[in-house]
Amino acid sequence: MTLDLPTISVVTFSATTVLGLVLCFVWWQERSSPLIGWWGVAQLVMASGIAFAAAASFASSAPLSAFGQALMVFSAAIMWMAAREFEGRSLNPLLVAIWPCGFVIASAVGIAATFDQRLILASTLLAILFLMAAAEFTRREGERLVSRWPAILLLVLMGVGYLAWMPLALTMPIHETSLVYASRWMPTVVLIALLGRIALAFVVLAIVKERQEMRQRLFALTDPLTGLPNRRALFEVAEAVAAHSQEFKGAPICVMLFDLDHFKKINDTYGHRLGDRVLQLFSKTLIDELDSGSTVGRLGGEEFAAILPGTKLSTAATKAEGVRAAFARAASFIDGLPVGGTVSVGVAAHDDISCDIGALFHRADGALYAAKQAGRNRVEVIGPNEALQYEETELDSAWYGERGPLSPAQHATRRYRGSGPADAA
């Protein structure tokens, strides 16, 4: 089967133009990500380059052919810079312009004087730019986008494909612009490049959609004021711990509940703006004082929580005291105002991570209640074999409100004597 290059050129130009217009339209409608818009612009520039290259073959014009090839290089440079911007790096127009300008200069001064030399130079630059774009998509290791890998694979294949033009141009040279349509291999590689561009466009749309969904989910699980996980996120962590409890069976687990003392008074005295600063300061204190293996979050209002898998009660009590003391120091004066912020902490532990974490939160709430009753600004702990002091109706935990009443077996052990290693705090 013989491929007709003039027909393929028309199809390639038309398909690439439509592709670019669709991508630009999608970006214009949603304004979701500049990656889609820039990728669409790149396709339109590529279509222009194809049109100039095709016209040059009919007109036997070497300058027109070089200009068309420069536009193709420009298109790849735009795609590379779009990938850079998507990964949070700078979008520098000079870095985009240097590639096609370099090609034009090389053609003008005679470095790439013949058609085959220009073809080899253009394909080499295209290959480099596609491989560089693939490298950009590998930079953000913390952002787990599954769609990255098809994009990286396609960009690498496109880059390798353009490198394959070099041996083809050397072994089966075209010699003159007017002889392009007589080439035996050019129709095949042009068609393959078109298929690659179409596939990349779909993958780009998939990447943007996946990132949007991931960020929407993250937003739904994040407290906007403090940046910490919210109550729903903490529930999901607890459920994940329960789901994997058999893997770590026998390991201890601790839960901490924090309640900022007299927070309403701080709001009433200094205003809600400073109250927000107090909440943000406490969030930073939690992050600074607790290990990265801990999950901390804001339950709502001035109530925070932390889940510490694999942590013993004595260690958790020490960490809780560190949070209490650090916050008392940091919140003593805020913006020159004598705020005197403090926090009460309740800590509950269990010897087995496969325990009922909902019940453990409730026990931590009992310890927190004891800290409040004992005068605030202190840490109270309750071990696995200790009973709660206060009755169920006295406790008011955000976790408990979500989980509902405890079972009769759990209710039977709900008394707490209000003492522990952190009582002196």
Side-chain angles (χ1 to χ4, degrees):
M1 176 181 175
T2 303
L3 297 174
D4 179 46
L5 186 56
T7 303
I8 290 177
S9 297
V10 172
V11 171
T12 300
F13 167 76
S14 303
T16 306
T17 301
V18 170
L19 201 62
L21 291 173
V22 168
L23 290 173
C24 289
F25 178 76
V26 170
W27 174 80
W28 180 259
Q29 287 289 102
E30 300 182 3
R31 306 291 176 92
S32 54
S33 172
L35 178 65
I36 297 176
W38 283 118
W39 212 270
V41 170
Q43 303 315 304
L44 294 177
V45 173
M46 177 64 76
S48 301
I50 294 169
F52 277 105
S57 300
F58 283 111
S60 299
S61 173
L64 199 60
S65 174
F67 182 68
Q69 291 170 323
L71 286 176
M72 296 178 195
V73 173
F74 185 35
S75 168
I78 293 174
M79 286 185 269
W80 167 56
M81 290 304 298
R84 282 175 60 92
E85 191 276 339
F86 184 75
E87 299 303 330
R89 305 185 73 201
S90 61
L91 186 64
N92 192 333
L94 291 177
L95 292 178
V96 176
I98 194 172
W99 296 88
C101 290
F103 177 83
V104 170
I105 292 170
S107 301
V109 301
I111 297 176
T114 68
F115 177 84
D116 289 312
Q117 289 173 340
R118 290 194 301 273
L119 184 62
I120 290 173
L121 177 59
S123 61
T124 301
L125 294 177
L126 287 167
I128 292 172
L129 287 164
F130 274 103
L131 293 174
M132 288 171 63
E136 294 295 337
F137 280 120
T138 64
R139 289 186 178 273
R140 282 199 186 179
E141 296 180 358
E143 190 180 49
R144 298 180 180 179
L145 297 179
V146 177
S147 304
R148 285 179 184 276
W149 297 109
I152 293 168
L153 178 61
L154 281 170
L155 287 166
V156 169
L157 289 175
M158 292 280 287
V160 172
Y162 279 116
L163 284 177
W165 289 29
M166 187 184 303
L168 291 172
L170 291 173
T171 56
M172 292 179 282
I174 298 175
H175 300 297
E176 298 292 339
T177 305
S178 59
L179 300 177
V180 170
Y181 288 121
S183 171
R184 289 177 293 174
W185 57 270
M186 183 63 74
T188 303
V189 298
V190 168
L191 183 59
I192 292 173
L194 171 62
L195 295 176
R197 284 194 294 274
I198 294 173
L200 270 173
F202 281 104
V203 172
V204 164
L205 291 171
I207 289 178
V208 171
K209 181 180 179 182
E210 186 179 3
R211 174 179 276 186
Q212 285 178 329
E213 291 174 348
M214 184 189 71
R215 288 184 172 177
Q216 288 170 358
R217 175 174 169 76
L218 182 63
F219 181 78
L221 297 175
T222 303
D223 174 60
L225 177 63
T226 64
L228 293 179
N230 58 19
R231 182 193 303 184
R232 177 182 171 188
L234 281 169
F235 293 166
E236 291 196 2
V237 170
E239 290 165 1
V241 169
H244 295 85
S245 60
Q246 293 303 317
E247 301 175 19
F248 308 98
K249 193 171 181 63
I253 184 171
C254 287
V255 165
M256 299 179 184
L257 287 181
F258 307 86
D259 193 282
L260 303 189
D261 300 325
H262 305 295
F263 184 71
K264 184 180 184 302
K265 182 180 178 181
I266 293 174
N267 265 336
D268 293 342
T269 303
Y270 300 106
H272 290 281
R273 180 174 296 180
L274 191 133
D276 289 346
R277 292 266 288 112
V278 172
L279 294 171
Q280 292 167 343
L281 180 61
F282 182 70
S283 302
K284 183 178 183 302
T285 303
L286 278 179
I287 294 171
D288 292 342
E289 294 296 323
L290 297 182
D291 297 336
S292 58
S294 308
T295 299
V296 299
R298 184 184 178 195
L299 292 176
E302 66 272 25
E303 194 170 35
F304 295 77
I307 303 173
L308 292 78
T311 303
K312 296 180 180 179
L313 178 61
S314 58
T315 303
T318 302
K319 291 179 182 296
E321 172 60 22
V323 171
R324 186 205 65 78
F327 179 66
R329 290 191 300 270
S332 178
F333 285 85
I334 299 177
D335 296 337
L337 299 173
V339 176
T342 59
V343 62
S344 299
V345 190
V347 183
H350 201 285
D351 292 332
D352 192 345
I353 200 170
S354 61
C355 68
D356 183 341
I357 298 182
L360 193 59
F361 262 85
H362 191 82
R363 291 171 64 79
D365 198 18
L368 175 61
Y369 193 94
K372 291 286 189 180
Q373 292 295 308
R376 295 182 170 85
N377 190 25
R378 60 189 287 117
V379 177
E380 293 288 349
V381 301
I382 180 170
N385 300 316
E386 296 179 89
L388 291 170
Q389 177 182 357
Y390 298 99
E391 293 299 324
E392 178 178 340
T393 55
E394 297 179 89
L395 303 180
D396 184 25
S397 166
W399 174 273
Y400 177 63
E402 288 284 337
R403 291 298 181 180
L406 302 179
S407 67
Q410 293 166 337
H411 183 80
T413 63
R414 294 184 54 238
R415 299 197 65 81
Y416 175 50
R417 60 185 174 83
S419 63
D423 280 350

